[in-house]
Amino acid sequence: MLDDDYWTRVATLRRRIADLLETLGAEEWDRPSLCEGWRVRDVAGHLSLVPVITTGQLLAAGPRARFDLNRINTHLARQHGSAPPAEIVARIREHADRRRTARMLDTRNSLFDLVVHSQDITVPLDRPFSVDPEDCRLGLQRVWEMGFPFHARRRLAGFELRATDADWSAGSGQEVRGDALALLMVLTGRARTVSERLDGPGAVRLVS
């Protein structure tokens, strides 16, 4: 069972993201995010939905998305991202303390999902958004132990990853060093966006 500290971190990050979204101009909401095919508003819509989504909503979106989980996710993100920005921000705030999600999903993914999507929003907008290295370490731990959808251990076989600002390392092979947030972006398939923050013998090969 996830402890109170975990959920405090989730709630804090949800509120910080809501604060950030509130400062965006209309044009920024419609900019492409780092998520392929998702605008900034779609990422925000996804974050507003995760705490309250039901299994029924996932199943209802299935036929249109050919029962592919990634397509379902995209369909729902775009659907909820089409709401007015103020409404999306209000939903994120309203459910910041919620500790649930659909039964088909996993609450252990809540923290790293927020960390990564905060960067999906802010990096293309060139808006700095710092994240507590401990949040990132917990995210690294979770993503490394997962299979689908990132398959990090398989994709990054042959590399030893080592965080420079948190107590985390994994894998074996050519060393790649970086801050915990950068490594979390690597594990979730976004290595090229943080290439300048990676160092070590394996860094060039990892992002090539």
Side-chain angles (χ1 to χ4, degrees), residues 3-173:
D3 62 17
D4 288 342
D5 177 69
Y6 177 89
W7 287 113
T8 297
R9 292 176 180 279
V10 167
T12 298
L13 202 42
R14 283 173 177 159
R15 291 189 174 96
R16 287 189 60 217
I17 291 171
D19 289 344
L20 178 279
L21 290 170
E22 213 162 34
T23 71
L24 302 187
E27 184 268 340
E28 290 178 298
W29 278 85
D30 289 315
R31 290 248 203 108
S33 75
L34 292 184
C35 293
E36 187 176 355
W38 289 28
R39 300 162 298 174
V40 165
R41 65 167 53 251
D42 300 327
V43 180
H46 164 80
L47 295 179
S48 76
L49 177 63
V50 167
V52 294
I53 192 171
T54 65
T55 297
Q57 284 175 291
L58 291 168
L59 293 175
R64 180 177 294 187
R66 303 175 198 170
F67 295 98
D68 177 278
L69 190 55
N70 287 326
R71 289 176 182 270
I72 291 171
N73 202 19
T74 296
H75 169 71
L76 291 172
R78 289 174 178 166
Q79 183 182 73
H80 288 265
S82 66
E87 185 178 316
I88 295 173
V89 171
R91 284 205 306 258
I92 293 173
R93 290 194 197 286
E94 180 184 356
H95 303 298
D97 292 308
R98 191 172 173 87
R99 300 185 175 192
R100 299 178 62 184
T101 190
R103 289 185 181 181
M104 290 175 63
L105 304 179
D106 195 324
T107 51
R108 291 177 297 174
N109 300 342
S110 300
L111 183 58
F112 86 74
D113 192 57
L114 287 160
V115 173
V116 172
H117 284 318
S118 76
Q119 304 304 297
D120 290 336
I121 291 169
T122 57
V123 170
L125 299 181
D126 197 25
R127 284 175 170 259
F129 188 88
S130 62
V131 182
D132 185 338
E134 179 62 10
D135 291 353
C136 300
R137 187 192 70 79
L138 293 169
L140 285 165
Q141 209 166 278
R142 172 60 184 155
V143 176
W144 188 256
E145 73 187 20
M146 292 171 66
F148 177 85
F150 304 113
H151 302 288
R153 280 176 294 180
R154 186 181 69 195
R155 282 192 303 104
L156 298 166
F159 294 102
E160 178 186 359
L161 307 171
R162 186 172 298 279
T164 56
D165 59 348
D167 184 16
W168 186 86
S169 62
S172 60

